[in-house]
């Protein structure tokens, strides 16, 4: 709730959609920023920024992959992981008839958060 309250949007839950044209634009800009995490110093007369990124290939995919790997290691069912990542469960036709219980995703997120918090 602290994160939601800090970044609450006007028309959407989070303010990213108030700032960016669409979610693809946000993801693109976030990808650029993630690749710049690390050291930075200004050099020369104009104070040009010279960056030394810690993880030059970092992307939002890393967090999704890491979450899924941790969740699988905690024996969270593959179907729950799939739904949490926004992937279809089974075939498209079957997915139309199955109403997935979103509480399972909430429980999976809690397990992953609790696991990380212990470390």
């Amino acid at each position: 709730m602290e994160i939601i309250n800090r970044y609450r949007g006007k028309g959407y839950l989070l303010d990213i959609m108030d700032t960016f044209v669409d979610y693809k634009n946000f993801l693109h800009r976030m990808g650029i920023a993630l690749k710049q995490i690390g050291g930075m110093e200004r050099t020369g007369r104009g104070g040009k920024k010279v960056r030394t990124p810690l993880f030059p290939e970092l992307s939002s995919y890393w967090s999704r992959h890491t979450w899924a790997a941790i969740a699988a290691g905690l024996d969270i069912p593959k179907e729950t992981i799939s739904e949490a990542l926004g992937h279809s469960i089974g075939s498209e036709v079957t997915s139309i008839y199955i109403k997935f219980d979103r509480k399972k995703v909430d429980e999976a997120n809690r397990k992953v958060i609790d696991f990380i918090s212990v470390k």
Side-chain angles (χ1 to χ4, degrees):
M1 286 308 299
E2 182 179 333
I3 292 171
I4 290 172
N5 289 332
R6 180 179 294 183
Y7 299 104
R8 185 172 301 280
K10 293 180 181 126
Y12 294 89
L13 179 63
L14 300 176
D15 66 358
I16 60 169
M17 292 306 293
D18 295 337
T19 306
F20 295 94
V21 176
D22 57 32
Y23 79 93
K24 289 180 181 180
N25 182 264
F26 167 74
L27 287 176
H28 174 73
R29 300 295 303 207
M30 182 177 67
I32 292 169
L34 287 172
K35 288 170 180 46
Q36 294 178 354
I37 293 173
M40 187 275 295
E41 64 179 272
R42 293 189 178 269
T43 61
R45 293 182 82 168
K48 180 181 176 187
K49 293 179 184 176
V50 177
R51 299 185 183 276
T52 311
L54 292 172
F55 306 100
E57 299 301 317
L58 185 63
S59 70
S60 61
Y61 177 78
W62 282 30
S63 60
R64 291 170 55 83
H65 184 275
T66 301
W67 184 93
I70 292 170
L74 295 171
D75 295 326
I76 293 170
K78 185 177 180 180
E79 294 80 15
T80 304
I81 296 169
S82 177
E83 176 68 14
L85 295 175
H87 299 166
S88 63
I89 303 167
S91 73
E92 291 180 19
V93 175
T94 305
S95 295
I96 293 170
Y97 297 103
I98 297 173
K99 183 177 187 308
F100 190 86
D101 183 3
R102 296 292 300 177
K103 289 179 186 176
K104 290 181 181 181
V105 173
D106 293 342
E107 292 169 4
N109 280 325
R110 175 51 47 204
K111 284 183 180 181
V112 171
I113 290 168
D114 290 345
F115 176 80
I116 292 171
S117 296
V118 172
K119 297 289 173 178

